[in-house]
Structures are given as structure tokens and as C-alpha cells.
Amino acid sequence: MTFYDLIWLVPVFPLIGAAFNGLVSNRLGLPKTVTHTVALLGAGAAWLWGWAAVVQWMLTEDTHRPYVVEVFSWIQGGELAIYGGRVVPLEVAASFQIDALSAVMLGFVTFVGFLIHLYSVGYMHSESDRAYARFFSYLNLFMFAMLTLVTGSNLPVLFVGWEGVGLCSYLLIGFYFEKDWCAAAGMKAFIVNRIGDFGFLLAIFFAFFYFGTLEFAGLHEAMAAHHGVPAAAATIIGVLLFVGAMGKSAQIPLYVWLPDAMAGPTPVSALIHAATMVTAGVYMVARCNFFYQLSPTAMLTVAVVGGATAVFSATIGLVQNDIKKVLAYSTVSQLGYMFLAAGVGAYIAAIFHVVTHAFFKACLFLGSGSVIHACGGEQDMRKMGGLRKHMPTTFWTFVAATVAIAGIPPLAGFVSKDMILAKAFEAGLTDLNGYGTVYFLLWGLGLAGAALTAFYMFRLVYMTFFGSFRGGEEAEHHLHESPWTMTLPLQVLAVLSIVGGLLIGFPGQLFHLEGWSLIERFMAPVVLGHGEHGHHAVSFALEWGLVVVSVAAAVAGILVARRFYRLDPSFAKPRALAERFPFAYRLLLNKYWVDELYDATVISGTVKGSRLLWEVDARVVDGAVNGAAHSTVGSSFLSGVFDLKVVDGGVNLVARIYDVASRAFRRLQVGYAQGYAMVMVFGAAVLLGVFYLIKL
Amino acid sequence: MISAEPYVALSLVLLCLGLVGVMVRRNFITVLMSLELMFNAVNLNLIAFSFRLGDLAGQILAIFVITVAAAEAAIGLGLIIALVRLRDTVSLDEADLMRS
Amino acid sequence: MDFLIANFEAVLFYTVALAAVAGGIGVVTLKHPVHAALALLETFVMVAVLFVLRHAEFLAAVQVLVYAGGIMVLYLFAIMLVRFKGMRPDEVFLSGIAPLAILGGVLLGSFVAIGILLGTMATGEGGAAAMRAVGDELPGNTEAVGWVLYTTYLVPFEVVSVVLLVAMIGAIIFGRRDAELSKPGGEVKP
């Protein structure tokens, strides 16, 4: 038995931890030491086993082919007729696979996950024993779902993980459920995600309908051979999958839940809403790249949405004052970059950015958690400042991660972001799929986004760590550095933010050393048709030119931030700017009023629609029945009078029938369920009657 | 050997009886019983055609119908208990909270 | 006697069918719920007999066990639990809509019957011939049903199990004494 034959144990370890903490520790209120020991053991075992499996697999197996482990037969659905009249058995196994993409995801998810578990030990120590157990139970459950997601070898298993992480996200956002707004944020995340999941589910159905299999390997082969399936199939499936990714990875128009998700504890924001879960959409698009590679439309959709999101949310991040909100919008923006990369066919660059982003954004979130911890729960940056002196470790790790996300060479963020921008530019230059102009435009957007990123991140650093403390004397006394369980993860992640990029994705093309980019070589077999385009379309000089341009954009952003927020402690310049352009400022501060827009259209639309239907039922339906009853009563009365006076006798019967009928109608009108049932029966009879009349 | 026709006819008669029962009974419990009658009529039809066509699918469907009928009975009787607790009656015409 | 033996199946069928219809009428007309329940029980058993006649032995067993055994007991329990006070005879039926309801039922029934007749006419095979039983082909015994149920229809089977689970949870919630279905204040009629 090898480690990778038992790859399914990786998600199972944290599941055991979750079960113990959720069912035993939470019930009995066991001491915190027991709880976090079990949780750390679960996450740690997953980490060690996962890395061991990846290393052993790389050494002993052919890394060009996914290694699939079937655990048990899950769905046996009999035979189904699919596209083209083929009849295939619906059989899905609970199977896991390890290939280059899974290996990369497994590597960093287990590692970052463990670090954040460690950090939580320090961060959550003031909770009650039972809440502590609940927290770690959810966190371990999340690890289980996320690891299932990245190691599943078919769409249904991926979907199980997908829903699992969504559930854990909901539970953890609403962790402080006694506060209304936290519970509401959790529900918002869940509902918005459901919209995306609907698309994902449809995509799974379509995939089976067209290909008769749901295994990634089988789908990859079918798409590589591309015969017997209409070209539209790839577009339909690709776009629907992307709808799912929009929800999970917070892209326009479904991004609204992520900023609200900051209601959860900070380690959760770091683990779920920055490093791992929100990148599940990117992972899924990269995993299903074979659909996108064959559908220019789907690719363009992904790229445009990604590019637009990158800039849109960056502009909102410019003016936010809540430290976690800035980071949240920054996350949305960085996710946009990842999708931009996927949309230009650079899936490897997308995954590379996922990994580096996990390093520096987790570091930033954990750092902000450390800051909030020190400030006694204060999240408003206007009440911070000067923290550099009080918390040196947090300060240097935070700055390292900020420089990385701003895109200053040679830190991790620069390497991956530059790779994305270069690929976007290349797509424009080679006129990819005939949409060259659009891709050029997206490159421009990406560049603007890079400058904005540098600006708002340095604004955050200057407002938080420089200047003097603005939170009052009393709060200043409480400022303290965090315990080692919190600073150790910070330091590890900061070091990775600095060297991680060069380590795994050395930009070899800049130095005529193409083979040096480990991730590119390692992941090449995952992408359909990778390497078929031949050598680079961008010349060596142009490549360096692009680097210079993107670095210049970042430096410009930093300099503006320094001028606004460092050299002028009263922040007079940005205030003057806000007063000169009040509308633009309020537009950004209120996040383009998107939440209000959704509230006014979708939400109140639904509420009003339901109310309207209720009114229709109460007024129109009941009213109509009422009216019918009244008119029948009236007419029967009239005809009764008429009969008595004019004909009487036999014709009396007519009146009697009317009378009986009207009595029945009167029964209906009072709204008994059985009255409605009767209307239904008559309706069915009338329908049948009409049908016969037409048929004969 | 009897053909399928008498079975279909019987099924139809039972179904209509159930239908009328659902509409005319005032007691919630007997309304549910009439529903069970309709389920039985459907099952009879399914079995008759399963035999006629030599296809087991009809029997399988009947099993599912029985399961759903059991579920319906559980929920329906739960509703009756709730209704009695709420309004102290089993008369359907007094279950009219939705009317405003 | 010879006639009876020669047409044993037909005689059995019509006897049982009549009993079933009688039971059905009983369900709809009998005033006391317990009597109606007994009539329903009779119909259940008669239908089970008809299942046997159509070689659905397994289903006949299920019918007796689940319907006559399980569901019927459930009904009797419910009748007992709600301390049925005995409605006044004039309260048993919704007399206002009863005539129309019966009319509707008969109308729909006859329309469906017409549809069946029309359908068999349209196929051109002649109603009776089209519906005649297929000789000696016996579609089902317990083993065959089990085989099909757990292979071809496994997914629907699992889904139905979920339905049962949901029903169970729903019934528990409805039945809980402390259930906050609660009386909406002030809206309860005096």
C-alpha cells in the first residue's frame, strides 16, 4: 500500500476531527486543550498524508496521467438514453484522483489549512468551551469538504465537496449567530451561492447528456477527440459551469456575499474567504479546461467577467474604512485576475495565482486579525495607526504580504500577476479566437487594477501601522503583540509570500530559461492541447517591456498612497478629493449601490410578487367566485320572479337548478380546500372535453 | 384469462369514488382515507398494465406509490394532530387560517 | 358448477371487484370514521387479492403488510388520539357542494372512460384485443422485483427513501407538543 493509494484518507482525517469535536466535545464541553489537539491532529494528519502522497506519486508514477482511486460504487442509475441516441449506464463512483492540478491544490490547501488551524488556537481562546469546539468542528468539516473537492475524480464528487464548503462557509459566517447581521450575512452567502450552484448542477446534467460520463478523464478524452458532439455543447457546459464559479468565487454579478462574509471570525475569512474556498471556482474552471479550450465564447465570457470584476471591486476597495472590507474587495479583485487568466487560456497562471494569493492574502487576513485582536475588536482603520511600534512581527509580515500583492518584484504576487498580464497581452497580440481587441482591453483593465491594488493596499498599511494611534489613550494601553500560535503562521506565510513565487513559478521566459518554471512544467498535462501553440508569440524585449509597465503601474499606486496617507497625517488630500468629486466618492463608498439595487429589484421583487399573487388569490379569485355566486343568486332570483309571473310551473326547474348551483358557489367562495379541489376536477373534465371536441 | 379492461374499469371506479370522497367529506381523517383509495386505484392500474405488457416497471412504480402513500399518511395524520391541537376540530371547513 | 370451474378466474375477479367497490362506497358514505376505516381495510385486502390475480405476489404481500397493517393502524390511532367526538349526521358531508362534487366525479370518470375507449379505437387493434393478457408470460416474482428494484431503479429507490425521511421529520415536527405552530393571537374564532 502506498500513500497515494489511500488518497481518500486525506479528507477523512479532518472529518474524524469534525465528528469528534462536533458530537463529543461540543456536547460535553470538553476543555479547549482537548478540542484543539484533536482538530490540529485532524488537519495535521491530512497535511502530512497529503504531502507524502503527492511526493510518492511524483516519484513512482507517470505524472502525465491522473491516478484514480475508486473507493466505492456510489450511483448506479440504470441505463439512460443520451445525446445521439446512445444508451449508456449512469454509473458514478466515489473516486478520488491525484494528478498535477490536484497535487498543487492538495499541497497548499492542507498546508495553509493547518497553519490557520494553529492560528485559530490563539485567536479563538476567549470563546466558551462549547463555542470553541463548535468552531473547530466546522473548521475541520470545511477541510474535509475542500479536500474532497480538490481530489474528486468526477463532477458529482466535486459537487459534494462544493456544497460541503458552501455549507461550512454558511455555518462559519454565521458563527456569531446571536448577532442578527452575522446570521443574515450567512444566509446571504448561502442563497447567492445557491444561484450559482443551480448553474453548476445544470452543467453536470448537460455533461452527462452529451458525453455519457462524468469522470474528468473520460470528459477530457471525449473533448480531445471531439467527435459526435455539437460545438455548442462545450459552450453550454462551459458557461453554466462558470455560473457556478461566479457564485462560489464571488464574480460579478454574484460577488455581493463575499464582503458581508467578513462577519465571520477572522481565521475563517483567511481560510475560506481568501485562501481556499473562493478559489474553488478557479480550480473547477481549470479542471474543466477542456470545455473552455474548445469554446471561444465560454472563454471570452470568463475573461470579460474576470477582468471587469478585477477593476470594479478594486475601485470599491479604494475608499472602504473597515480593514477587513478592504481585504474582502481585494480578494474579489484578485479572483477576477484568476478568471482573467483562465479566460485567456492560461489555466496554469490562474492556479499559480491561486497558490501565491493563498500565501499573501491568508497572511494579510491573519495579520488584520492580529491587529483587530490587539485593538480589542475595532475594525475601523480611522481609529488605528502607529501600530508599527506595538506589534513588530505583525507589522513586518503584513508589509511583506502587502508588497507581494502590490506586485513588486521579485515577490510572489509579482511573479504570478505578471504571468497573467503577459498572457492576456499575448492573447491580444495573437488575436486569440478572433477576439484580440477585447483581450487587449482586458489587459489594460488588468494593468489599471494592478495600480489600484497597490494604492489601496498601501493606504491600508499607512493608515494602520504608520502615523500615531487614533483610537484614544485607553485603547493604546491594550495594544500588544499576539501570542506565538498567531505570529508563527504569520511568519511562515510572510516568508512564502516573499520567496514562494520564485520557488514554484520562476519566470524563466524572462531569462531564456523556460524550463525553470516548475509549475508550468508540472501542470502542462492537465490542460487540453497545452504546448500545441509552439513557442511564445511575445518577443523577448516586449516581455521585459511588459514587466516594466506593470511594475511602473504598481509603483505609481504606492507613491500616490504614500503622498496621500503617509506624508500627510491629517489625510487632507484624499478628503479634498472626495469633496471635489462627491458623487464619485459616494458611489464608491456605497459600493455602486449594488446591494441596494438587488434589494430594490430581485429581493423586493420576489417579496412583492408573492404578495401580489396572494392579493390576486384573495381578491380576484375569491372575488370572481363571489361575483359568480352573487350574479347567479341575482339571476336565479330574477328568473324565479320571471317564472312565477310569466310561465311558472315546469320552467320553475331552471330557477331551482340555478339556485342549487348558486348555493354550491356560495360554499366555494368561503375558501375551503375542498371547494378548490372541486374546481380542479371540473377543470380537468373541461380540459378533457375540449380535447375530445378537437380530436373528433 | 381476464383481459386488462375490467381492471382498468375497476381502477377508474375506485379512483372516482376516492375523488368524490375527497370532495364531500368534512372530516379530515376520512378525506385522507379517500386519498388512500385513490392511491389504490392507481396501483391497480399499474399492476394490470405491468402484467399486460410483461414489464416489471409497473410493479416498481406501485412500490414507490405505496411508499409515497405511507409518507402522505404520516404527514397527513401529523397535520390532523396539529389541527386538533390548534383549533380543536377535525373539520376541514374550519381549517381556514389562510383566509384573511 | 361447470361454468364456475371453467370461469373460475373471472368469477373470482368480479366477486372481488364488487367487494372492493362496495368498500370504496363505504369509505365515502359511512358516517363514523371507524366504520369508514373498516371499509377501507376491506378494499385494501380485496385489491391485494387482485394483485395476486395479476401475479404481483410480492406487491400483494406489501399491500397487506404496509396498507392493511401499517397505515390502517396509523389511521385508527389517529382517530383514537383526536378523541373523535362524533360529528352530527348533518355535519359528515359538505352538503353544499356534495351534489356538484358527485356530478364532477361522475363527469370526469365518464370522460376518462370515453378517452380509454377512444384510445383503443384509435390504435385500431380493437379495445379488447389490445388489452388482452399476454398468454403465459409471468412478469414478476419477488426475486425479479428485487433484482430490478436494486439495479435499474436504485436511484429512484434511494430518492424515495429520502422522501420517507422528510415525511418522518415533518410528522415529528407537526406532532410535537411544544411545536410553535402556535395559535396566532386573536385570529382564532371564538
Side-chain angles (χ1 to χ4, degrees), chain A residues 660 664 678 682, chain B residues 24, chain C residues 94-105:
Chain A
V660 170
M678 201 180 71
F682 272 100
Chain B
V24 301
Chain C
L94 294 167
S95 51
I97 66 170
L100 260 184
I102 293 168
L103 179 70

mmCIF file of all heavy atoms in Angstrom, chain A residues 660 664 678 682, chain B residues 24, chain C residues 94-105:
data_model
loop_
_atom_site.group_PDB
_atom_site.id
_atom_site.type_symbol
_atom_site.label_atom_id
_atom_site.label_comp_id
_atom_site.label_asym_id
_atom_site.label_seq_id
_atom_site.Cartn_x
_atom_site.Cartn_y
_atom_site.Cartn_z
ATOM 1 N N VAL A 660 -79.623 25.856 -6.771
ATOM 2 C CA VAL A 660 -78.720 24.841 -6.239
ATOM 3 C C VAL A 660 -77.283 25.185 -6.591
ATOM 4 O O VAL A 660 -76.380 25.153 -5.751
ATOM 5 C CB VAL A 660 -79.109 23.451 -6.793
ATOM 6 C CG1 VAL A 660 -78.018 22.435 -6.442
ATOM 7 C CG2 VAL A 660 -80.450 23.018 -6.225
ATOM 8 N N ALA A 664 -73.986 26.073 -4.224
ATOM 9 C CA ALA A 664 -72.681 25.447 -4.320
ATOM 10 C C ALA A 664 -71.595 26.505 -4.448
ATOM 11 O O ALA A 664 -70.555 26.433 -3.788
ATOM 12 C CB ALA A 664 -72.648 24.515 -5.527
ATOM 13 N N MET A 678 -62.696 20.763 -5.995
ATOM 14 C CA MET A 678 -63.799 20.519 -6.928
ATOM 15 C C MET A 678 -63.598 21.324 -8.208
ATOM 16 O O MET A 678 -63.823 20.813 -9.309
ATOM 17 C CB MET A 678 -65.113 20.891 -6.267
ATOM 18 C CG MET A 678 -66.275 20.228 -6.926
ATOM 19 S SD MET A 678 -67.785 20.704 -6.124
ATOM 20 C CE MET A 678 -67.907 22.368 -6.650
ATOM 21 N N PHE A 682 -63.508 19.795 -12.031
ATOM 22 C CA PHE A 682 -64.268 20.295 -13.178
ATOM 23 C C PHE A 682 -63.337 20.797 -14.264
ATOM 24 O O PHE A 682 -63.581 20.587 -15.458
ATOM 25 C CB PHE A 682 -65.215 21.414 -12.731
ATOM 26 C CG PHE A 682 -66.540 20.900 -12.282
ATOM 27 C CD1 PHE A 682 -66.828 20.757 -10.941
ATOM 28 C CD2 PHE A 682 -67.495 20.513 -13.221
ATOM 29 C CE1 PHE A 682 -68.034 20.256 -10.524
ATOM 30 C CE2 PHE A 682 -68.711 20.012 -12.813
ATOM 31 C CZ PHE A 682 -68.991 19.885 -11.455
ATOM 32 N N VAL B 24 -66.332 15.570 -0.775
ATOM 33 C CA VAL B 24 -67.555 15.750 0.008
ATOM 34 C C VAL B 24 -67.394 15.540 1.503
ATOM 35 O O VAL B 24 -68.193 16.023 2.282
ATOM 36 C CB VAL B 24 -68.693 14.847 -0.487
ATOM 37 C CG1 VAL B 24 -69.003 15.138 -1.934
ATOM 38 C CG2 VAL B 24 -68.357 13.390 -0.272
ATOM 39 N N LEU C 94 -70.065 17.832 3.315
ATOM 40 C CA LEU C 94 -70.204 19.239 2.954
ATOM 41 C C LEU C 94 -71.426 19.316 2.050
ATOM 42 O O LEU C 94 -71.316 19.233 0.833
ATOM 43 C CB LEU C 94 -68.959 19.737 2.237
ATOM 44 C CG LEU C 94 -67.700 19.781 3.094
ATOM 45 C CD1 LEU C 94 -66.477 19.969 2.230
ATOM 46 C CD2 LEU C 94 -67.815 20.890 4.108
ATOM 47 N N SER C 95 -72.580 19.417 2.677
ATOM 48 C CA SER C 95 -73.810 19.217 1.903
ATOM 49 C C SER C 95 -73.943 20.231 0.781
ATOM 50 O O SER C 95 -74.531 19.954 -0.256
ATOM 51 C CB SER C 95 -75.019 19.320 2.842
ATOM 52 O OG SER C 95 -74.917 20.511 3.592
ATOM 53 N N GLY C 96 -73.340 21.398 0.963
ATOM 54 C CA GLY C 96 -73.473 22.440 -0.060
ATOM 55 C C GLY C 96 -72.915 22.029 -1.396
ATOM 56 O O GLY C 96 -73.515 22.291 -2.442
ATOM 57 N N ILE C 97 -71.735 21.407 -1.354
ATOM 58 C CA ILE C 97 -71.128 21.105 -2.649
ATOM 59 C C ILE C 97 -71.278 19.646 -3.023
ATOM 60 O O ILE C 97 -70.828 19.235 -4.092
ATOM 61 C CB ILE C 97 -69.639 21.493 -2.671
ATOM 62 C CG1 ILE C 97 -68.830 20.635 -1.698
ATOM 63 C CG2 ILE C 97 -69.461 22.957 -2.377
ATOM 64 C CD1 ILE C 97 -67.347 20.822 -1.879
ATOM 65 N N ALA C 98 -71.906 18.852 -2.161
ATOM 66 C CA ALA C 98 -71.961 17.419 -2.436
ATOM 67 C C ALA C 98 -72.554 17.079 -3.806
ATOM 68 O O ALA C 98 -71.939 16.311 -4.551
ATOM 69 C CB ALA C 98 -72.716 16.715 -1.320
ATOM 70 N N PRO C 99 -73.704 17.646 -4.170
ATOM 71 C CA PRO C 99 -74.260 17.265 -5.472
ATOM 72 C C PRO C 99 -73.338 17.611 -6.623
ATOM 73 O O PRO C 99 -73.070 16.771 -7.502
ATOM 74 C CB PRO C 99 -75.547 18.098 -5.570
ATOM 75 C CG PRO C 99 -75.803 18.620 -4.214
ATOM 76 C CD PRO C 99 -74.529 18.648 -3.482
ATOM 77 N N LEU C 100 -72.780 18.818 -6.567
ATOM 78 C CA LEU C 100 -71.852 19.218 -7.623
ATOM 79 C C LEU C 100 -70.622 18.328 -7.646
ATOM 80 O O LEU C 100 -70.123 17.951 -8.712
ATOM 81 C CB LEU C 100 -71.410 20.656 -7.383
ATOM 82 C CG LEU C 100 -72.108 21.721 -8.223
ATOM 83 C CD1 LEU C 100 -71.482 23.075 -7.928
ATOM 84 C CD2 LEU C 100 -71.971 21.397 -9.693
ATOM 85 N N ALA C 101 -70.142 17.972 -6.451
ATOM 86 C CA ALA C 101 -68.942 17.156 -6.372
ATOM 87 C C ALA C 101 -69.178 15.799 -7.009
ATOM 88 O O ALA C 101 -68.358 15.305 -7.781
ATOM 89 C CB ALA C 101 -68.523 16.992 -4.912
ATOM 90 N N ILE C 102 -70.325 15.219 -6.680
ATOM 91 C CA ILE C 102 -70.635 13.904 -7.277
ATOM 92 C C ILE C 102 -70.753 14.036 -8.783
ATOM 93 O O ILE C 102 -70.206 13.230 -9.547
ATOM 94 C CB ILE C 102 -71.927 13.348 -6.659
ATOM 95 C CG1 ILE C 102 -71.670 13.026 -5.184
ATOM 96 C CG2 ILE C 102 -72.370 12.100 -7.399
ATOM 97 C CD1 ILE C 102 -72.911 12.753 -4.391
ATOM 98 N N LEU C 103 -71.415 15.100 -9.211
ATOM 99 C CA LEU C 103 -71.531 15.354 -10.648
ATOM 100 C C LEU C 103 -70.147 15.431 -11.275
ATOM 101 O O LEU C 103 -69.870 14.798 -12.300
ATOM 102 C CB LEU C 103 -72.308 16.660 -10.866
ATOM 103 C CG LEU C 103 -72.472 17.059 -12.335
ATOM 104 C CD1 LEU C 103 -73.424 16.110 -13.033
ATOM 105 C CD2 LEU C 103 -72.956 18.498 -12.449
ATOM 106 N N GLY C 104 -69.258 16.188 -10.629
ATOM 107 C CA GLY C 104 -67.899 16.345 -11.151
ATOM 108 C C GLY C 104 -67.186 15.015 -11.241
ATOM 109 O O GLY C 104 -66.566 14.697 -12.253
ATOM 110 N N GLY C 105 -67.288 14.223 -10.183
ATOM 111 C CA GLY C 105 -66.625 12.931 -10.184
ATOM 112 C C GLY C 105 -67.121 12.044 -11.303
ATOM 113 O O GLY C 105 -66.333 11.462 -12.049
#
